[in-house]
Structures are given as structure tokens and as C-alpha cells.
Amino acid sequence: MRRHGWGGDMPSDDDQARQRILDAARGLLDERPERAPSISEVVERLSVTRQTVYRYFSSTQALLVASVSDGIDEFLDGIATHLAEVSDPADAVVEGIAYTYEQI
């Protein structure tokens, strides 16, 4: 792993670098859900080069898919927590849909 960029805070390994890139992309998605972030925006946020991002993700689409996939577990955990006290299946479906709508 190269020792340049990252705003002076180098990741400890490739897994941490990958996670930082995903977190930056998800942060941009959260801030502007109406449009997908570009590689250039992720690069700017992290103070890295485009080459660094492409080292971990082959395309913008690959980065976006990984960003959304990375957030799925957190979202599902939120639904599970929200529905923990609901015992009626019909209520659980309605509450699950309402929770999903609120999150979107």
C-alpha cells in the first residue's frame, strides 16, 4: 500500500482503506440521496487519487453497489430492532413497511 494521501491519516491495511472509501461514498449518498456520488467526489472527500479508489473498486457502479450492500446489514438490524416488540405478523408487515418508508 502506498503512503501518500488520505489527508495524512493512512489506513492501517487494505480492509480499512476499502471501508473508508465505502464510508465516504455512503456519506455522500446520505447527504444527497437524489444523485449518486462520482469517483471524483469520493476522491476529493478522502484526499486520495482516482487510482487509489480504482485499486479497490473497478468502476463507479462497483463502488455504489458495494456502498449500498455495505449498508444493508445496518438497515436490516434497524428493522429487527424496530420490530422486536411486535408479535402480530400483520402488524410486523405494516410496521416494517412504514419503517422502510421513513428510512428512505
Side-chain angles (χ1 to χ4, degrees):
M1 180 167 40
R2 302 186 122 196
R3 299 287 175 212
H4 306 274
W6 297 99
D9 183 19
M10 295 296 299
S12 59
D13 58 25
D14 284 344
D15 289 337
Q16 187 181 53
R18 187 180 197 307
Q19 190 60 50
R20 284 190 194 177
I21 294 168
L22 289 173
D23 291 345
R26 282 186 56 206
L28 288 162
L29 280 168
D30 289 345
E31 291 167 20
R32 292 184 331 257
E34 71 280 355
R35 79 176 177 88
S38 68
I39 294 289
S40 296
E41 292 168 319
V42 173
V43 161
E44 183 178 326
R45 178 159 289 195
L46 292 171
S47 299
V48 296
T49 65
R50 292 175 67 84
Q51 182 180 7
T52 298
V53 174
Y54 283 120
R55 175 178 179 201
Y56 298 99
F57 300 97
S58 61
S59 65
T60 303
Q61 182 177 358
L63 174 58
L64 294 176
V65 168
S67 297
V68 171
S69 297
D70 190 53
I72 294 290
D73 289 336
E74 182 180 327
F75 176 73
L76 293 176
D77 289 344
I79 289 177
T81 300
H82 184 76
L83 298 177
E85 302 295 320
V86 180
S87 58
D88 180 63
D91 288 343
V93 169
V94 171
E95 284 298 318
I97 291 169
Y99 177 84
T100 300
Y101 181 77
E102 289 171 2
Q103 296 305 305
I104 294 173

